[in-house]
Amino acid sequence: MFRNILVHIPSERQVRPVIDVAVALTVARRSHLDAVAIGYESMSAAGMIVEGGAAVGAVMGAEQERARERANAAIAMFEIEAKLAKIAYGTRTFATIPAEAGRTISALARLYDMTIVLQPESSKASYDNEIPQQILFNSGGPMLMVPYIHKGPLDANHVGIAWDGSRLAARAWRDAMPFLMGAKAVTVIAANEEAGEASSDQLVAHLGRRGIAARVQRLTADRSAVQGAILSVAAESNMGLLVMGGYGHSRLQERILGGVTRSMFDSMTVPVLMSH
């Protein structure tokens, strides 16, 4: 029931959206919240040293210290809000090269019920933008991605489920069960639905057996426009949370996002709970 939550606090981007959502969610669910921030070390400085092992070591030591300072500054902002809210929390910071950052935080996230991250922002170059994709594909658990334009706590009174009958969509709605159980309204969004064993109507029936009253909203859209159509439904219905599977391009290239997932990463306007 989301008793053990992890939040990634960006060290190179704004932190307010994820802090507000994570702290408020922890208060509401009486959970434990751990925050982690990563300072990214640059390897370019060491490459400029022509010779001299000691000189290289000094440069790299200074770069690591600057990276750790950035991570500590981000965590300090989180701690202010966590203390004010009087929640149970823990913090962790580390400095590492970008290639190791994703692997490290993904392994850490495997211990938690859910990980909260900030939506990537393509207009601002930052290694923080790479973290959500790494967590989605490598943590083994649900990821709540908060839009960088988001303000305030999470409003999960109306939850939308993007449903296509796939394994990933099924994993997502099961992972979202704590939100679904507490929602005042649940809408199953069926895009370009075809007849099958796992239809949207059947999902509604199964949810009903759990005491969750849901309705179906069907839509038809070109493949390239599915993500936009889903967000339009969410906006028109005043949904505060979307639930969907996180798709890779192929089984051999799961780090490459599938079309709808990539579009959601790029232009989401509402918090999204994703599972892979």
Side-chain angles (χ1 to χ4, degrees):
M1 298 298 289
F2 299 148
R3 296 296 189 191
N4 195 28
I5 302 172
L6 178 68
V7 58
H8 170 238
I9 308 296
S11 64
E12 300 179 342
R13 302 179 57 209
Q14 59 179 321
V15 300
R16 180 58 59 186
V18 288
I19 290 178
D20 287 349
V21 167
V23 170
L25 191 59
T26 301
V27 170
R29 296 190 172 274
R30 300 178 182 177
S31 306
H32 178 92
L33 177 64
D34 283 336
V36 59
I38 307 167
Y40 306 100
E41 301 173 27
S42 171
M43 299 301 292
S44 59
M48 296 173 64
I49 305 300
V50 178
E51 58 183 22
V56 171
V59 170
M60 294 308 298
E63 176 60 28
Q64 186 178 58
E65 182 60 27
R66 285 192 292 269
R68 193 173 298 279
E69 287 175 357
R70 290 191 292 269
N72 289 337
I75 282 293
M77 296 182 68
F78 164 80
E79 282 200 282
I80 292 172
E81 299 302 323
K83 289 177 180 178
L84 287 173
K86 298 181 180 180
I87 60 173
Y89 75 94
T91 62
R92 179 176 176 181
T93 62
F94 59 93
T96 187
I97 59 174
E100 292 294 330
R103 286 192 287 268
T104 301
I105 195 170
S106 294
L108 180 63
R110 292 168 193 159
L111 301 172
Y112 293 84
D113 299 328
M114 178 176 64
T115 303
I116 301 173
V117 300
L118 184 67
Q119 173 199 12
E121 190 171 3
S122 59
S123 63
K124 295 184 179 180
S126 168
Y127 292 118
D128 280 326
N129 284 334
E130 306 300 320
I131 297 301
Q133 184 172 325
Q134 293 290 332
I135 289 175
L136 175 62
F137 290 133
N138 298 311
S139 71
M143 179 185 79
L144 177 61
M145 187 159 59
V146 181
Y148 55 78
I149 62 171
H150 185 83
K151 295 181 180 180
L154 178 71
D155 176 9
N157 286 318
H158 189 177
V159 180
I161 303 172
W163 181 251
D164 61 2
S166 67
R167 177 187 68 82
L168 293 177
R171 170 66 188 270
W173 79 258
R174 290 192 183 98
D175 283 343
M177 188 56 65
F179 288 124
L180 299 176
M181 293 291 290
K184 295 179 180 179
V186 175
T187 299
V188 177
I189 306 171
N192 302 329
E193 185 172 33
E194 298 179 358
E197 292 298 321
S199 70
S200 55
D201 287 333
Q202 290 168 328
L203 174 59
V204 167
H206 282 278
L207 289 171
R209 293 174 192 144
R210 294 172 176 262
I212 301 169
R215 69 181 185 90
V216 178
Q217 183 158 345
R218 295 179 175 84
L219 59 88
T220 302
D222 293 336
R223 186 172 182 178
S224 61
V226 169
Q227 176 266 349
I230 292 173
L231 288 180
S232 293
V233 170
E236 292 167 1
S237 302
N238 197 30
M239 294 177 189
L241 176 67
L242 280 174
V243 175
M244 64 180 291
Y247 294 83
H249 182 68
S250 71
R251 292 182 180 179
L252 297 178
Q253 295 176 304
E254 288 186 336
R255 292 186 180 181
I256 301 176
L257 296 177
V260 175
T261 306
R262 167 61 69 189
S263 296
M264 197 64 73
F265 264 61
D266 291 341
S267 55
M268 58 186 289
T269 54
V270 62
V272 179
L273 185 84
M274 288 186 175
S275 291
H276 177 72

